[in-house]
């Protein structure tokens, strides 16, 4: 027995010796100043097996720690940009922690024996869910803006004029952690000079409530945070330009930034008629979509299938000509201010005023999806002009009452006014005959007011982890529209006829919303907690539309058309109660919640026929999120699952006929139910601090039960729909319905790495999209299936600020299938190849050029095209510090620019082409304002 005890004891002791583990820690400082160095790279290499290597960055105070570390011999290596590499051998012989003496790095200008100088910039590091890119690793022209720098980082794509990173659209940009012009990402990226940027941080920002509670509610926003250089955080800087060109073109821009400590003020001014826009297109209500929507009908369902890219939509670098179709004149003023007053008050606010005039000439070809009458098409030629005026204000006030209580106020207000004048000629045809045609003229005036306010209160109890938050949101919107319609409609076939419409209509729609959420968390341990939540939401919507036909005898609009008039109210309220659990550690964060929701939808029609329709819904809404940090912070895995419901809008519920296009009528459906959505996403990111490479892969899926989609009836002969509606052959009526079976799946992968020998960065990305959208066509269920595969490659220079070039390729292959009309199944391909070059050489001579080759195939015959958009400029830097520049530029040197778009719906496949800005020459004077001072 004693021998057995001895053997067991010996075995236990020997095993403990063999697996003894400890830690190695220390701190890194700069020799000259004795200050600690943040984000220095510390590597621990096993001397016996050099493949066993771990690398971590130092923290905010220059400290590092490797744990666990087994017995053995190691080489400790420390590197930091601009400093000589430090190496030291360390022997771990027991289980006592190894504390390394302070490590002092020497600037690389001081040459020491046996020391390797590290000259490559640490391009990227991973900090939990945040990817941080070093701006110094990406060389751009001295006059570049933030968007040109961000385009070079791995995973960044510009598609249809919008920036995507890691497969998701960037929704907001922050400057040193503070929002810039609210959530207008475009304003920040086109107005912040690249030279002031120190770091670019990419992350998914949680909602205000989630940031306070620590619970991921799924309401995340893809965010770019720009960290400015410490030596440029106090000063006045900006870029101002004025130019005039051929064809009466002009542009004027002013961007002035004043940074002083926590005080940040930005003023933007813009005026041009060359489609240049440095703010979000969402500000332009109806500029590019209003006219098209009015003439194509306002069916309440979702657009299915997807859409192809448009020509001429690429960001043209220094030429800054945007992707809007048609000709656009823009005038804009913007103000952004943020500050901190004392230790209790933080303020952010912005105001934007923009006025835009847009004129579009467009040709459209649509192929109907039908099981019978295969071959029905619709051809249209249209022109429209739109004037828009928009005021937008955003504020955020954070007040720290005391150490345990805080308040956050976030109001938003916008005023919009749009006047549009449009006309079109449309023809519906079969392969051998014409079914109908229309000549339409429409004049509309629209006004809208939108207001929302969010108040978030948080109280932290004395017990660590115990907290209470209250979130209250109010919304209000008021829209008014006046519309004049004149239309001549000719119907052919067995019973040919004509119909002339001369109508005037007014629509008033108001909405009021209120929601509240109460959240309480109770800690179970230092790393876990439980929580309960309850919420209430209420939305009230009212809509009145009255349409009058013109009386020839009285010469005024006084004949009420009850088919086109309607008074409708819709109220929706819901109660939720939920509970959940949260577990968190340095490596992993898990949260899970389940909620019960009871919702009521109450519809009331007052005119022309009074009725009520009430519905009640009961749902279980689970959610789960997980974040796992692998290998320290070098790799990260994130999974998120959310469920939610979506009630139908009042325009989808209101059963009033929209006859803006008399051949394509649409109406609402008061019997609609809510949608129930499942959303899943899985993202993996990995960075290498030794090769400075970055890898991101994303998988996301969305499944919708009761999807609100379209039911379209396309008349093959004259058909009586009701007492009021008679559809002539070739005409159609669409209304929204609930159908199951809608889903979309998306995969994205990007890999980027520097090639030091070539002084270049290489970025690749692959995208795959799959979607299915159900719809009814003449009561037959149709599934519109779409597949899209995309591949992108970017080669960007990293030579010097004076030589900046980018070579990129983007290829898109799409497949479209419909279950009831296989004859329209097809695939189409578009590709663009782009070369951009910026050079500054002898005595400040500047040369810029970019050329993009676009190719389209598989579209309707007249839309298959290939062309090259080529821009060029030459300039001269002036003044002692070369802050001024005189430039002569030409846009669309070959006069080939065009715009092509493919859209897929549940009813038809559409190809369209519109006029775009073409060749002009312009002489521009620019001045870079730069004045910095020490804090």
């Amino acid at each position: 027995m004693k021998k057995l005890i001895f053997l067991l004891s010996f075995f236990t002791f020997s095993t403990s010796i063999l697996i003894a583990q400890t830690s190695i820690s220390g701190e890194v400082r700069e020799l000259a100043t004795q200050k600690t160095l943040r984000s220095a790279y510390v590597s621990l290499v096993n001397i016996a097996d050099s493949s066993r290597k771990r690398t971590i960055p130092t923290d905010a105070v220059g400290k590092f720690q490797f744990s666990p570390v087994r017995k053995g011999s190691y080489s400790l290596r420390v590197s930091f940009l601009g400093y000589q590499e430090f190496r030291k051998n360390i022997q771990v012989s027991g289980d006592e922690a190894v504390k390394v003496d302070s490590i002092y790095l020497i600037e690389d200008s001081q040459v020491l024996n046996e020391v390797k100088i590290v000259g490559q910039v640490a391009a990227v590091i991973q900090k939990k869910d945040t990817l941080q890119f070093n701006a110094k690793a990406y060389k751009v022209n001295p006059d570049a803006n933030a968007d040109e720098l961000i385009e070079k980082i791995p995973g960044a794509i510009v598609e249809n004029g919008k920036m995507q990173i890691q497969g998701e659209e960037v929704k907001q940009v922050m400057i040193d952690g503070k929002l810039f012009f609210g959530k207008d990402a475009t304003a920040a990226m086109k107005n912040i000079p690249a030279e002031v940027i120190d770091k670019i941080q990419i992350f998914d920002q949680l909602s205000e409530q989630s940031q306070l509670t620590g619970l991921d509610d799924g309401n995340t926003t893809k965010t770019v945070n720009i960290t400015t250089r410490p030596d440029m955080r106090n000063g006045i800087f900006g870029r101002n330009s004025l130019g005039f060109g051929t064809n009466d073109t002009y542009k004027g821009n002013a961007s002035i930034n004043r940074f002083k400590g926590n005080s940040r003020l930005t003023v933007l001014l813009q005026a041009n008629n060359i489609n240049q826009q440095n703010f979000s297109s969402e500000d332009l209500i109806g500029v590019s979509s209003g006219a098209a929507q009015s003439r194509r009908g306002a069916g309440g369902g979702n657009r299915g299938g997807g859409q192809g890219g448009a020509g001429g939509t690429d960001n043209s670098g220094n030429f800054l000509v945007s992707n809007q179709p048609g000709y656009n004149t823009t005038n804009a003023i913007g103000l952004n201010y943020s500050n901190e007053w004392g230790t209790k008050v933080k303020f952010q606010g912005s105001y934007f005023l923009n006025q835009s005039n847009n004129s579009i000439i467009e040709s459209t070809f649509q192929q109907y999806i039908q099981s019978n009458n295969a071959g029905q098409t619709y051809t249209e030629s249209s022109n429209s002009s739109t004037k828009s005026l928009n005021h937008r204000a955003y504020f955020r006030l954070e007040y720290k009452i005391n150490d345990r209580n805080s308040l956050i106020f976030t109001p938003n207000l916008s005023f919009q006014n749009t006047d549009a004048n449009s006309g079109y000629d449309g023809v519906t045809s079969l392969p051998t005959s014409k079914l109908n045609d229309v000549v339409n003229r429409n004049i509309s005036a629209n006004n809208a007011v939108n207001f929302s306010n969010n108040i978030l209160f948080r109280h932290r109890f004395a017990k660590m982890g115990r907290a209470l938050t209250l979130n209250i949101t109010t919304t209000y919107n008021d829209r008014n529209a006046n519309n004049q319609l004149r239309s001549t409609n000719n119907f052919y076939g067995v019973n040919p006829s004509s119909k002339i419409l001369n109508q005037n209509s007014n629509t008033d729609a108001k909405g009021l919303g209120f929601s509240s959420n109460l959240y309480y968390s109770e800690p179970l341990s230092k790393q876990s907690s439980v929580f309960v939540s309850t919420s209430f939401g209420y939305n009230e919507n009212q809509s009145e539309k009255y349409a009058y036909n013109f009386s020839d005898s009285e010469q005024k609009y006084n004949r009420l058309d009850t088919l086109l008039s309607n008074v409708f109210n819709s109220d929706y309220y819901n109660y939720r109660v939920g509970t959940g659990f949260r577990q968190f550690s340095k490596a992993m964060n898990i949260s899970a919640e389940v909620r019960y929701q009871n919702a009521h939808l109450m519809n009331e029609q007052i005119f022309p026929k009074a009725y009520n329709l009430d519905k009640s819904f009961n749902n279980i809404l689970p959610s789960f999120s997980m974040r796992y940090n692998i290998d320290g912070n070098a790799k990260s895995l994130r999974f998120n699952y959310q469920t939610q419901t979506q009630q139908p809008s009042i325009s989808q519920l209101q059963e009033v006929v929209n006859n803006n296009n008399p051949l394509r009528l649409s109406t609402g459906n008061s019997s609609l139910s809510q949608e129930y959505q499942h959303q899943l996403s899985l993202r993996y990111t990995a960075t290498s601090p030794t090769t400075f490479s970055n890898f991101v892969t994303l998988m996301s899926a969305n499944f919708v039960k009761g999807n609100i989609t379209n039911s379209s009836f396309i008349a093959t002969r004259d058909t009586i729909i009701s007492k009021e509606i008679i559809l002539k052959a070739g005409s159609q009526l669409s209304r929204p319905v609930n159908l199951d079976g809608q889903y979309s799946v998306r995969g994205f992968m990007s890999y980027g790495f520097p090639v030091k020998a070539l002084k270049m960065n290489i970025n690749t990305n692959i995208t795959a999209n799959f979607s299915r959208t159900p719809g009814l066509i003449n009561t037959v269920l149709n599934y519109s299936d779409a597949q899209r595969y995309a591949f992108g490659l970017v080669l960007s220079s990293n030579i010097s600020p004076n030589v900046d070039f980018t070579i990129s390729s983007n290829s898109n292959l799409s497949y479209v299938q419909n279950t009831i009309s296989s004859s329209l199944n097809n695939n189409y391909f578009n590709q663009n190849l782009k070369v951009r070059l910026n050079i500054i050489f002898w005595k400040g001579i500047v040369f810029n050029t970019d050329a993009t080759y676009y190719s389209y195939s598989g579209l309707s015959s007249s839309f298959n095209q290939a062309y090259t958009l080529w821009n060029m400029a030459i300039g001269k830097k002036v003044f002692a510090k070369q802050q001024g520049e005189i430039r002569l530029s030409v846009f669309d040197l070959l006069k080939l620019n065009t715009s092509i778009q493919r859209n897929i719906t549940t009813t038809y496949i559409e190809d369209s082409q519109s006029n775009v800005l073409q060749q002009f020459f312009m002489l521009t004077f620019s001045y870079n304002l730069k004045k910095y001072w020490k804090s």
Side-chain angles (χ1 to χ4, degrees):
M1 185 66 179
K2 292 181 179 179
K3 289 183 177 180
L4 179 61
I5 294 175
F6 173 78
L7 290 173
L8 289 174
S9 300
F10 179 78
F11 177 80
T12 303
F13 176 77
S14 301
T15 303
S16 65
I17 292 296
L18 289 174
I19 63 173
Q21 296 179 341
T22 183
S23 64
I24 299 176
S25 61
E27 66 176 5
V28 179
R29 293 178 176 271
E30 181 187 27
L31 179 63
T33 64
Q34 303 291 303
K35 292 182 178 180
T36 58
L37 289 176
R38 177 180 181 178
S39 298
Y41 286 108
V42 185
S43 299
L44 188 66
V45 183
N46 190 306
I47 294 177
D49 182 3
S50 61
S51 64
R52 296 170 60 183
K53 178 180 178 181
R54 283 186 287 172
T55 302
I56 60 174
T58 55
D59 62 17
V61 291
K63 295 184 179 299
F64 66 89
Q65 180 176 357
F66 292 96
S67 179
V69 179
R70 293 187 178 185
K71 178 182 176 180
S73 300
Y74 296 90
S75 173
L76 185 69
R77 305 171 185 178
V78 183
S79 62
F80 192 77
L81 176 67
Y83 295 83
Q84 299 170 6
E85 185 182 47
F86 172 90
R87 293 193 180 195
K88 180 179 182 179
N89 291 339
I90 296 176
Q91 185 69 34
V92 177
S93 56
D95 57 358
E96 294 184 3
V98 178
K99 175 70 174 177
V100 180
D101 294 336
S102 294
I103 297 171
Y104 294 95
L105 296 188
I106 305 170
E107 292 186 15
D108 60 7
S109 59
Q110 304 178 38
V111 181
L112 299 178
N113 294 331
E114 298 181 355
V115 175
K116 177 183 175 182
I117 298 177
V118 179
Q120 189 171 2
V121 177
V124 57
I125 62 173
Q126 176 102 22
K127 295 184 175 182
K128 294 184 179 180
D129 273 354
T130 301
L131 271 179
Q132 178 173 286
F133 296 90
N134 192 332
K136 295 178 182 177
Y138 305 95
K139 300 293 192 298
V140 292
N141 189 274
D143 298 329
N145 290 321
D147 59 337
E148 296 175 69
L149 174 62
I150 294 173
E151 279 184 50
K152 289 195 171 190
I153 68 176
I157 304 171
V158 177
E159 189 170 279
N160 294 329
K162 296 184 178 181
M163 180 74 73
Q164 293 184 5
I165 296 180
Q166 298 178 346
E168 299 173 290
E169 181 183 340
V170 175
K171 294 293 187 179
Q172 65 182 20
V173 173
M174 308 176 81
I175 309 296
D176 292 325
K178 300 175 182 178
L179 281 176
F180 191 80
F181 280 99
K183 293 191 175 183
D184 190 339
T186 306
M189 289 192 286
K190 288 192 176 297
N191 292 286
I192 294 297
E195 68 174 358
V196 307
I197 300 176
D198 182 37
K199 302 289 190 301
I200 301 167
Q201 297 173 333
I202 312 297
F203 61 95
D204 294 322
Q205 187 181 50
L206 301 175
S207 64
E208 294 275 14
Q209 180 161 317
S210 294
Q211 292 178 54
L212 291 178
T213 63
L215 173 67
D216 188 349
D217 59 7
N219 297 317
T220 60
T221 304
K222 180 60 68 177
T223 302
V224 172
N225 180 46
I226 294 174
T227 302
T228 56
R229 289 171 48 180
D231 59 332
M232 292 185 174
R233 291 177 184 170
N234 291 277
I236 298 176
F237 60 90
R239 182 176 175 84
N240 309 282
S241 64
L242 181 64
F244 296 93
T246 57
N247 305 325
D248 297 323
T249 54
Y250 65 89
K251 75 168 184 177
N253 296 288
S255 173
I256 302 173
N257 304 273
R258 185 183 186 275
F259 287 12
K260 185 178 181 181
N262 290 320
S263 176
R264 307 289 176 88
L265 174 65
T266 298
V267 180
L268 303 179
L269 301 172
Q270 183 181 46
N272 70 83
N273 63 353
I274 58 171
N275 292 19
Q276 189 181 96
Q277 180 179 306
N278 61 1
F279 51 86
S280 173
S281 59
E282 277 72 12
D283 287 331
L284 304 177
I285 177 175
V287 167
S288 58
S289 61
Q293 181 179 358
S294 68
R295 68 176 183 270
R296 293 171 188 168
N302 294 332
R303 183 181 291 266
Q307 57 186 15
T313 64
D314 203 81
N315 181 350
S316 298
N318 293 321
F319 300 93
L320 287 174
V321 176
S322 80
N323 63 321
Q324 289 187 42
Y327 301 133
N328 301 278
T329 301
T330 302
N331 301 290
I333 299 174
L335 298 172
N336 186 81
Y337 179 72
S338 64
N339 205 347
E340 297 181 14
W341 296 298
T343 59
K344 292 190 173 184
V345 179
K346 296 180 181 180
F347 173 80
Q348 300 173 41
S350 64
Y351 167 75
F352 214 95
L353 164 67
N354 62 70
Q355 183 272 332
S356 180
N357 297 338
N358 172 260
S359 61
I360 302 176
I361 299 173
E362 188 174 27
S363 59
T364 302
F365 179 74
Q366 297 174 355
Q367 302 174 78
Y368 285 84
I369 302 169
Q370 295 173 273
S371 57
N372 55 0
N373 267 10
Q376 181 170 321
T377 61
Y378 177 75
T379 304
E380 180 182 283
S381 298
S382 65
N383 64 82
S384 64
S385 61
T386 306
K387 295 181 179 180
S388 295
L389 179 67
N390 177 77
H391 300 263
R392 169 167 54 88
Y394 165 86
F395 301 97
R396 184 183 187 276
L397 180 66
E398 183 175 348
Y399 176 52
K400 184 180 179 182
I401 302 171
N402 50 45
D403 290 339
R404 294 186 180 179
N405 299 281
S406 63
L407 271 174
I408 299 176
F409 298 88
T410 316
N412 287 270
L413 178 65
S414 69
F415 298 90
Q416 297 172 324
N417 172 268
T418 302
D419 295 324
N421 190 332
S422 63
Y424 63 88
D425 299 344
V427 178
T428 306
S429 304
L430 292 175
T432 59
S433 62
K434 180 192 294 187
L435 293 175
N436 55 57
D437 60 43
V438 59
V439 178
N440 187 296
R441 298 295 178 266
N442 194 298
I443 301 174
S444 63
N446 303 272
N447 297 280
V449 177
N450 296 279
F451 172 78
S452 67
N453 183 47
N454 181 267
I455 301 174
L456 182 60
F457 169 77
R458 186 191 189 193
H459 172 72
R460 289 187 292 186
F461 295 88
K463 184 176 181 180
M464 184 68 68
R466 181 182 292 171
L468 179 74
T469 63
L470 175 63
N471 192 6
I472 297 176
T473 301
T474 55
T475 60
Y476 172 77
N477 61 76
D478 188 351
R479 290 178 170 83
N480 173 268
N482 175 266
N483 188 72
Q484 292 185 8
L485 171 66
R486 293 186 179 183
S487 177
T488 301
N489 308 276
N490 299 307
F491 304 94
Y492 305 95
V494 180
N495 299 306
S497 63
S498 297
K499 185 176 182 179
I500 298 176
L501 297 177
N502 188 356
Q503 295 176 343
N504 183 281
S505 64
N506 284 285
T507 302
D508 289 297
K510 293 181 174 64
L512 182 65
F514 171 85
S515 66
S516 62
N517 182 277
L518 185 64
Y519 171 95
Y520 173 78
S521 64
E522 179 68 24
L524 298 178
S525 67
K526 290 184 178 181
Q527 293 185 327
S528 63
S529 64
V530 293
F531 56 88
V532 293
S533 65
T534 180
S535 64
F536 169 75
Y538 176 75
N539 286 284
E540 175 185 304
N541 292 280
Q542 303 173 357
S543 181
E544 298 181 359
K545 179 182 179 181
Y546 292 100
Y548 297 90
N549 293 312
F550 187 75
S551 172
D552 293 327
S553 59
E554 300 181 47
Q555 291 295 298
K556 60 181 180 180
Y557 296 97
N558 61 355
R559 295 167 53 198
L560 180 65
D561 192 326
T562 57
L563 176 64
L564 306 177
S565 303
N566 186 277
V567 178
F568 190 85
N569 298 329
S570 177
D571 296 340
Y572 178 85
Y573 64 89
N574 66 79
Y575 301 94
R576 291 182 182 178
V577 60
T579 183
F581 171 80
R582 182 169 178 248
Q583 179 77 34
F584 45 91
S585 65
K586 186 176 182 180
M588 181 175 290
N589 190 326
I590 295 176
S591 63
E593 183 182 17
V594 61
R595 294 169 293 169
Y596 165 75
Q597 175 182 275
N598 174 256
H600 292 269
L601 178 63
M602 298 171 291
N603 299 326
E604 178 188 20
Q605 181 171 290
I606 301 172
F607 180 83
K609 296 178 181 180
Y611 69 85
N612 293 278
L613 180 63
D614 297 346
K615 290 188 175 184
S616 180
F617 311 96
N618 294 284
N619 302 108
I620 300 296
L621 303 172
S623 63
F624 176 81
S625 67
M626 183 271 292
R627 186 192 71 231
Y628 179 45
N629 296 322
I630 309 168
D631 191 16
N633 285 328
K635 301 172 185 177
S636 175
L637 180 68
R638 178 165 184 164
F639 174 77
N640 190 275
Y641 169 67
Q642 298 288 331
T643 55
Q644 64 180 14
T645 59
Q646 180 66 48
Q647 75 270 21
S649 67
I650 192 169
S651 62
Q652 293 172 326
L653 293 166
Q654 192 173 13
E655 296 194 5
V656 58
V657 174
N658 181 337
N659 71 331
N660 283 333
N661 186 334
L663 304 182
R664 311 180 68 173
L665 305 178
S666 63
T667 184
N669 181 1
S670 60
S671 299
L672 287 175
S673 298
Q674 64 178 6
E675 296 179 335
Y676 187 97
Q677 301 181 17
H678 301 263
Q679 298 174 333
L680 302 95
S681 66
L682 178 66
R683 183 171 65 228
Y684 172 78
T685 59
T687 61
S688 172
T690 54
T691 64
F692 310 124
S693 62
N694 171 242
F695 174 78
V696 177
T697 182
L698 170 71
M699 292 291 295
S700 63
N702 185 70
F703 304 90
V704 183
K705 182 180 180 181
N707 177 52
I708 299 177
T709 185
N710 270 336
S711 173
S712 300
F713 182 81
I714 303 171
T716 58
R717 59 180 182 275
D718 295 353
T719 306
I720 299 175
I721 302 297
S722 65
K723 291 182 180 180
E724 298 87 0
I725 302 176
I726 299 177
L727 283 184
K728 303 292 287 185
S731 303
Q732 74 175 58
L733 174 68
S734 298
R735 69 195 301 260
V737 294
N738 292 104
L739 292 176
D740 293 336
Q742 193 278 337
Y743 69 83
S744 62
V745 180
R746 185 169 189 264
F748 174 82
M749 183 184 299
S750 74
Y751 179 62
F753 58 94
V755 182
K756 184 178 179 181
L758 300 177
K759 294 186 177 181
M760 294 182 63
N761 296 305
I762 299 178
N763 299 322
T764 62
N765 62 81
I766 300 173
T767 303
N769 294 337
F770 305 88
S771 67
R772 163 167 282 196
T773 304
L776 292 176
I777 301 176
N778 291 8
T779 71
V780 178
L781 179 62
N782 175 59
Y783 289 106
S784 178
D785 297 334
Q787 302 175 37
R788 175 176 173 263
Y789 305 94
F791 174 74
L793 175 65
V794 179
L795 308 177
S796 58
S797 67
N798 210 16
I799 301 172
S800 78
N802 293 331
V803 179
D804 176 22
F805 68 84
T806 301
I807 303 172
S808 64
S809 171
N810 288 286
S811 305
N812 292 269
L813 177 62
S814 299
Y815 295 87
V816 179
Q817 294 181 327
N818 293 279
T819 55
I820 70 170
S821 183
S822 59
S823 62
L824 290 182
N825 295 347
N826 78 325
N827 59 78
Y828 56 97
F829 178 79
N830 67 75
Q831 183 176 27
N832 65 72
L833 302 171
K834 180 175 180 178
V835 178
R836 183 172 65 188
L837 174 65
N838 300 318
I839 300 177
I840 302 176
F841 53 100
W842 181 71
K843 294 186 177 181
I845 300 295
V846 181
F847 176 75
N848 309 115
T849 186
D850 66 63
T852 307
Y853 172 77
Y854 296 92
S855 175
Y856 299 86
S857 60
L859 306 179
S860 306
S861 58
S862 60
F863 295 88
N864 291 321
Q865 296 186 22
Y867 68 95
T868 300
L869 175 61
W870 188 9
N871 309 311
M872 188 179 296
I874 189 167
K876 174 68 170 68
K877 296 287 185 181
V878 295
F879 305 137
K881 296 183 179 180
Q882 295 193 342
Q883 291 180 241
E885 180 183 290
I886 300 174
R887 171 188 298 237
L888 177 64
S889 59
V890 54
F891 174 77
D892 189 16
L893 183 65
L894 304 179
K895 297 184 179 181
L896 295 176
N897 192 26
T898 188
S899 176
I900 299 171
Q901 186 79 27
R902 164 157 284 199
N903 296 312
I904 311 296
T905 76
T906 56
T907 309
Y908 57 81
I909 299 173
E910 175 186 84
D911 294 324
S912 62
Q913 182 173 353
S914 62
N915 65 320
V916 291
L917 196 66
Q918 290 191 319
Q919 187 188 89
F920 66 88
F921 292 79
M922 179 168 285
L923 184 65
T924 306
F925 172 73
S926 302
Y927 182 78
N928 285 331
L929 179 63
K930 301 178 185 180
K931 185 177 181 181
Y932 302 100
W933 55 82
K934 295 183 179 180
S935 58

